[in-house]
């Protein structure tokens, strides 16, 4: 009995310690914009600063260059939306076709799809830049959007789902009922694959939203920057996260913390919306149908 | 994410290293000047308002302003890619990390225009020699200085008076003061020697050949020189007795020491008053108010020297592209950014251009934060920046090595630490494509 209680207490302590370990930085981040730079140093790390300081922090960030952060935010949103939409439109039929149709080159295409997933993104930067430059798209939104539509992970996940979770008999039955191949894809496969589609869409959104190096290399105009690259330029110019801020720009550690929260908020909202599908999507294809 | 970015940076760094090793830059021919051609300027976020104001005041020139990250080598990466792709290069670039020019001047980038051929000599001569010498190769000047962080001695005047301390005029006196302070007031210190605050303020002012570029592909490194060992002889004992800190100036622990008034003096850049001591002691939750406390004294003199040389910590530069189609407009822009009286008044740090510095110092002379007018000392120090050092492609590795050798082990065995630092720096320089000699 005593051994059981000890074991249970040990588990609880481990559980609480784990929660505290992972939650503390998040709580600190949430509280950081309520403090001044010096308060971040001398106040209790988990103490609340003040609402007026939060207002000052928000105002400093949002008024920088007449609110250019909103342009960066909007750019991130539309680059992500367009990029993910095209990626889904391309990867869903591709994955479905690889799983349900036998054609010459099927295996090779699947193999190449898998291969491209392991190529480091950095290795493609130079050829991508040269490609975009050749068609005059450098420093345009399309230089960020188009490379982002290449999504082999999505193709492979749809392939797995279609192969393992959708029985061929359903598709055969639809064909016997006279449905077209496009109709089968749209009216039968897509509704059934919704959890998997939402899952790959979620990961595509996260990848596109957090993309840094591609827009960093492709874009130079200030008003074309994404939230990630714009904030990085701002932080490096002000030394807000190390070194001194030798400018008159009122961007310091609290403003950077606020910007960080602002940049993860959309992803958090998407996650809350998609979480039940994510759980279902992860299990999709785990069992053969 | 950080790992990923680091991997990317390494990949691009390797790409740049391969691309920039080997050949010296040529001095370039006559720049093109089509008065109707638009110019593109790359600035950091801090320089954006003045660039926009210039564009507004010069409607006759089409000026496209892009904001580029101030991160190390960000400009080099973009220029390198654009050059490979054959896309237009920027006409003017601000380098907040001025060592980037060492990449830009080397082949195959061969980017900057020799400005001494297009900027009036009178203007060139109005910059401190120690500033432009860093970006000069083969007698050609490839940059105009934006601002400069010449080093001086900041000291807490009321505390010096109270404790009966004399302001040290030599580094031997500085070391003696450190020993006295450590014995009489443990917990107080005379500044920090971490990273660039140690290398730039101490080794550079001493003329230690560690970044001594003789061309854009050749460098002298010799830490056994007396100009290096005399620095080790001073800072080694001071690190050991605690009178010199080994923390970074902006480390939160050191920040607290500044906020508590524990920093009695510091050999530091001209900007540390405004951008380190002032903000660190404002609303810092301590009773120490730095207003009216710190005065600025001339740099102490190294043994064997007749001049009290200064070092330089920080400072940005402007570079003009040799491929510009409108060199007249591009040079005029860069020149205005460094010489405009309006910009000088708004400049946050000490302007490199002499007449601009005078304007800037007029405001600083009456700043109540200083215990006494710092202007004459700052001005004299700017003219005494030791011209022995240059911008290099291995400065980051050199600073990392410095912290891992001199800062880490200097208190116990400075001689060995200096040797390791020199060896590691020489290896880094060779990897970056330099021919290393003593």
């Amino acid at each position: 009995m005593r051994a059981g209680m000890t074991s249970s207490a040990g588990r609880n302590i481990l559980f609480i310690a784990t929660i505290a370990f992972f939650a503390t930085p998040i709580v600190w981040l949430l509280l950081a914009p309520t403090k001044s730079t010096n308060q971040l140093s001398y106040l209790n790390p988990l103490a609340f600063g003040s609402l007026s300081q939060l207002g000052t922090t928000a105002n400093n960030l949002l008024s920088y260059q007449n609110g250019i952060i909103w342009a960066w935010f909007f750019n991130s949103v539309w680059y992500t939306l367009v990029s993910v939409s095209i990626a889904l439109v391309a990867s869903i039929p591709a994955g479905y076709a690889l799983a349900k149709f036998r054609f010459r080159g099927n295996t090779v295409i699947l193999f190449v799809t898998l291969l491209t997933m392991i190529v480091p993104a950095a290795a493609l930067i130079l050829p991508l830049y040269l490609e975009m430059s050749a068609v005059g798209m450098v420093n345009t939104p399309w230089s960020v959007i188009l490379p982002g539509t290449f999504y082999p992970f999505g193709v492979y996940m749809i392939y797995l789902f279609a192969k393992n979770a959708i029985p061929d008999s359903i598709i055969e039955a639809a064909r016997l009922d006279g449905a077209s191949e496009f109709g089968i894809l749209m009216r039968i496969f897509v509704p059934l694959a919704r959890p998997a589609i939402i899952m790959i869409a979620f990961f595509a959104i996260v990848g596109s939203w957090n993309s840094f190096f591609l827009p960093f290399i492709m874009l130079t105009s200030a008003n074309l920057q994404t939230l990630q690259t714009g904030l990085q330029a701002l932080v490096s110019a002000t030394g807000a996260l190390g070194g001194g801020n030798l400018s008159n720009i009122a961007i310091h550690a609290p403003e950077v913390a606020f910007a960080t929260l602002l940049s993860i908020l959309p992803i958090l909202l998407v996650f809350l919306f998609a979480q039940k599908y994510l759980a279902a999507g992860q299990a999709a294809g785990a069992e053969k149908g | 994410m950080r790992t990923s970015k680091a991997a990317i940076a390494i990949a691009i760094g390797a790409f740049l290293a391969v691309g920039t090793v080997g050949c010296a830059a040529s001095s370039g021919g006559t720049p093109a000047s089509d008065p109707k051609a638009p110019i593109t300027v790359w600035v950091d976020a801090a320089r954006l308002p003045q660039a926009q104001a210039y564009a507004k005041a010069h409607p006759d020139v089409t000026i496209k302003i892009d904001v580029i990250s101030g991160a190390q080598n960000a400009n080099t990466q973009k220029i390198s890619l654009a050059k490979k792709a054959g896309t237009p290069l920027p006409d003017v670039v601000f380098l907040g990390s001025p060592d980037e020019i060492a990449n830009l001047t080397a082949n195959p980038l061969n980017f900057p225009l020799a400005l001494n051929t297009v900027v009036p000599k009178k203007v060139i001569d109005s910059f401190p020699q120690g500033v432009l010498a860093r970006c000069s190769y083969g007698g050609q000047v490839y940059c105009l200085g934006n601002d400069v962080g010449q080093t001086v001695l900041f000291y807490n005047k009321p505390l010096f008076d109270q404790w009966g301390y004399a302001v040290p005029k030599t580094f031997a006196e500085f070391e003696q003061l450190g020993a006295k302070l450590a014995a009489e007031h443990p917990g107080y210190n005379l500044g920090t020697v971490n990273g660039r605050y140690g290398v730039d303020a101490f080794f550079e002012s001493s003329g230690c050949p560690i970044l001594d570029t003789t061309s854009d592909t050749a460098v002298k490194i010799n830490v056994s020189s007396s100009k290096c060992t005399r620095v080790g002889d001073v800072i080694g004992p001071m690190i050991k007795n605690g009178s010199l800190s080994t923390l970074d100036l902006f480390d939160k622990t050191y920040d607290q020491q500044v906020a508590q008034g524990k920093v009695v003096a510091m050999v530091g850049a001209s900007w540390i008053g405004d951008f380190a001591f002032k903000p660190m002691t404002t609303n810092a939750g301590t009773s120490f108010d730095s207003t009216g406390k710190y005065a600025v004294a001339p740099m102490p003199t190294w043994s064997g020297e007749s001049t009290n040389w200064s070092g330089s910590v920080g400072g940005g530069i402007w570079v003009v592209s040799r491929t510009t189609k409108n060199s007249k407009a591009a040079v005029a822009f860069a020149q205005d950014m460094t010489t405009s009286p309006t910009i000088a008044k708004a400049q946050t740090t000490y302007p490199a251009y002499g007449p601009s510095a005078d304007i800037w110092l007029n405001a600083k002379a009456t700043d109540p934060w200083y215990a006494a007018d710092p202007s004459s000392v700052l001005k004299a120090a700017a003219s005494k920046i030791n011209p022995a050092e240059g911008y290099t492609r291995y400065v980051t590795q050199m600073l990392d090595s410095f912290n891992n050798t001199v800062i880490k082990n200097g208190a116990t065995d400075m001689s060995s630490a200096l040797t390791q630092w020199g060896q590691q720096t020489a290896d880094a320089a060779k990897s970056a494509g330099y021919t290393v000699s003593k």
Side-chain angles (χ1 to χ4, degrees):
Chain A
M1 183 70 177
R2 179 166 291 177
M5 284 176 66
T6 306
S7 170
S8 173
R11 275 201 304 271
N12 288 340
I13 289 170
L14 184 64
F15 178 70
I16 291 167
T18 306
I19 295 280
F21 181 80
F22 287 105
T24 302
I26 296 171
V27 174
W28 184 92
L29 183 64
L30 287 169
L31 293 169
T34 69
K35 302 173 202 171
S36 68
T37 307
N38 280 334
Q39 285 174 328
L40 279 174
S41 297
Y42 72 80
L43 276 187
N44 183 312
L46 299 182
F48 181 81
S50 68
L51 284 176
S52 65
Q53 181 58 45
L54 176 63
T56 303
T57 301
N59 186 54
N60 286 344
L61 181 67
L62 301 179
S63 61
Y64 168 70
Q65 277 186 30
N66 300 317
I68 196 171
I69 192 170
W70 292 117
W72 297 340
F73 187 88
F74 175 74
N75 288 341
S76 283
V77 169
W78 91 266
Y79 296 173
T80 297
L81 283 180
V82 176
S83 173
V84 171
S85 299
I86 297 174
L88 290 179
V89 166
S91 59
I92 292 170
Y96 172 77
L98 283 170
K100 296 300 179 190
F101 293 92
R102 298 290 303 168
F103 54 89
R104 184 175 292 179
N106 181 305
T107 312
V108 174
I109 292 174
L110 186 62
F111 176 74
V112 172
T113 303
L114 284 169
L115 198 65
T116 52
M117 284 167 61
I118 60 171
V119 176
L124 297 174
I125 287 294
L126 181 57
L128 273 175
Y129 186 90
L130 295 175
E131 192 179 347
M132 287 298 151
S133 172
V135 292
M137 284 188 179
V138 169
N139 200 28
T140 70
W142 296 106
S143 63
V144 175
I145 291 170
L146 290 178
T149 62
F150 181 68
Y151 193 35
F153 174 76
V155 174
Y156 187 63
M157 290 306 293
I158 292 294
Y159 164 81
L160 282 182
F161 185 85
K163 187 85 175 168
N164 298 326
I166 307 292
D168 289 345
S169 57
I170 294 178
I171 292 166
E172 288 300 328
R175 283 181 184 140
L176 288 173
D177 288 342
S180 66
E181 294 299 337
F182 184 71
I184 294 171
L185 172 73
M186 295 306 294
R187 277 185 255 148
I188 296 177
F189 177 72
V190 169
L192 287 172
R194 188 187 293 175
I197 292 170
I198 289 178
M199 186 184 74
I200 64 166
F202 175 76
F203 286 117
I205 289 169
V206 172
S208 183
W209 184 266
N210 289 332
S211 173
F212 173 80
F213 201 59
L214 185 67
F216 174 77
I217 289 296
M218 296 290 183
L219 305 174
T220 49
S221 298
N223 57 358
L224 289 179
Q225 300 297 324
T226 65
L227 204 50
Q228 311 297 341
T229 55
L231 291 176
Q232 194 273 345
L234 185 56
V235 167
S236 66
T238 57
L241 292 182
N245 181 350
L246 309 189
S247 71
N248 279 330
I249 302 173
I251 301 294
H252 302 93
E255 284 77 13
V256 174
F258 188 75
T260 306
L261 290 172
L262 204 63
S263 70
I264 61 175
L265 191 64
I267 294 293
L268 190 65
L269 291 175
V270 171
F271 176 76
L272 291 175
F273 167 76
Q275 59 176 324
K276 69 174 181 177
Y277 295 103
L278 288 176
Q282 283 163 7
E287 293 178 26
K288 196 170 174 65
Chain B
M1 190 68 184
R2 180 169 290 184
T3 306
S4 167
K5 279 184 196 171
I8 290 165
I10 289 167
I12 291 290
F15 161 72
L16 288 173
V18 170
T20 56
V21 166
C23 311
S26 66
S27 58
T30 307
S33 196
D34 172 4
K36 290 182 181 173
I39 63 168
T40 299
V41 301
W42 286 4
V43 298
D44 66 348
R47 248 53 51 178
L48 181 60
Q50 64 201 50
Q52 288 172 328
Y54 182 89
K56 194 175 176 184
H58 295 79
D60 50 318
V61 185
T62 305
I63 302 176
K64 182 174 181 290
I65 304 167
D66 289 335
V67 179
I68 306 296
S69 165
Q72 184 82 29
N73 283 332
N75 291 281
T76 307
Q77 290 167 8
K78 284 177 179 279
I79 288 171
S80 178
L81 283 169
K83 188 146 188 167
K84 277 192 179 300
T87 50
L89 303 178
D91 300 274
V92 184
V93 177
F94 173 77
L95 299 179
S97 301
D99 280 281
E100 267 198 80
I101 197 172
N103 278 322
L104 298 179
T105 49
N107 279 333
L109 294 183
N110 206 10
F111 175 81
L113 177 68
L115 292 171
N116 53 310
T117 61
V118 285
V119 174
K121 186 173 184 300
K122 187 181 171 190
V123 174
I124 294 281
D125 289 345
S126 296
F127 288 91
Q129 190 204 352
V131 173
L132 298 191
R134 292 164 170 248
C135 59
S136 299
Y137 306 105
Q140 306 287 346
V141 178
Y142 290 100
C143 76
L144 294 181
N146 182 76
D147 56 335
V148 61
Q150 75 276 33
T151 56
V152 290
L153 178 71
F154 283 79
Y155 68 101
N156 185 325
K157 191 170 186 307
L159 216 48
F160 264 59
D161 292 344
Q162 183 187 333
W163 292 347
Y165 291 168
V167 176
K169 289 187 168 52
T170 66
F171 273 101
E173 292 174 11
F174 184 71
E175 184 192 347
Q176 289 161 13
L177 179 65
K180 198 173 181 185
L181 180 73
E184 295 175 357
H185 302 284
Y188 287 80
N189 66 67
L190 297 179
T192 172
V193 284
N194 182 285
R196 60 185 185 144
Y197 306 106
V199 173
D200 294 351
F202 290 83
F203 286 91
E204 184 185 314
S205 66
S206 175
C208 170
I210 196 79
L211 300 167
D212 187 0
T213 50
T214 51
S215 77
D216 64 346
T217 55
V219 66
K220 285 183 183 173
I221 297 174
N222 181 15
V223 291
S224 58
S225 157
S226 62
K227 293 186 175 183
C228 303
T229 54
R230 68 187 176 190
V231 181
D233 292 343
V234 168
I235 67 171
M238 293 182 74
I239 294 172
K240 193 170 186 177
N241 66 28
S243 57
L244 275 180
S245 172
T246 55
L247 295 170
D248 185 89
L249 174 60
F250 292 95
D251 183 287
K252 287 299 172 193
T253 306
Y254 197 72
D255 184 330
Q256 287 289 320
Q257 292 178 25
V258 174
Q260 290 163 5
K262 299 286 186 184
V263 180
V264 181
M266 178 166 173
V267 176
S270 51
W271 49 261
I272 68 165
D274 289 322
F275 296 102
F277 290 178
K278 259 190 212 180
M280 287 175 188
T281 54
T282 304
N283 299 321
T286 63
S287 57
F288 178 67
D289 180 0
S290 64
T291 306
K293 297 286 195 306
Y294 285 98
V296 172
M299 278 287 283
T301 306
W302 289 103
S303 63
E305 296 286 342
S306 55
T307 300
N308 61 331
W309 292 107
S310 174
S312 177
V313 189
I317 56 174
W318 292 90
V319 176
V320 176
S321 168
R322 69 174 59 202
T323 62
T324 180
K325 290 189 172 64
N326 189 348
S327 63
K328 192 176 174 188
V331 170
F333 178 87
Q335 196 174 318
D336 189 82
M337 291 297 110
T338 53
T339 62
S340 158
T342 309
I343 292 174
K345 283 179 189 164
Q347 183 93 298
T348 54
T349 45
Y350 190 97
Y353 181 63
S356 294
D358 291 338
I359 294 169
W360 187 87
L361 285 170
N362 283 338
K364 201 53 59 185
T366 54
D367 186 339
W369 184 82
Y370 290 91
D373 176 3
S375 52
S376 61
V377 174
L378 293 176
K379 186 172 180 176
S383 67
K384 292 180 187 171
I385 294 173
N386 199 319
E389 313 286 10
Y391 294 129
T392 69
R393 296 185 288 276
Y394 61 87
V395 67
T396 305
Q397 294 92 324
M398 181 276 292
L399 289 173
D400 287 345
S401 170
F402 177 74
N403 278 353
N404 286 327
T405 53
V406 177
I407 293 299
K408 193 174 175 183
N409 305 318
T412 51
D413 186 355
M414 180 59 79
S415 173
S416 169
L418 280 176
T419 304
Q420 286 177 29
W421 179 42
Q423 187 56 53
Q424 291 175 9
T425 301
D427 290 346
K430 288 172 189 167
S431 299
Y434 287 94
T435 303
V436 179
S437 64
K438 290 196 172 183

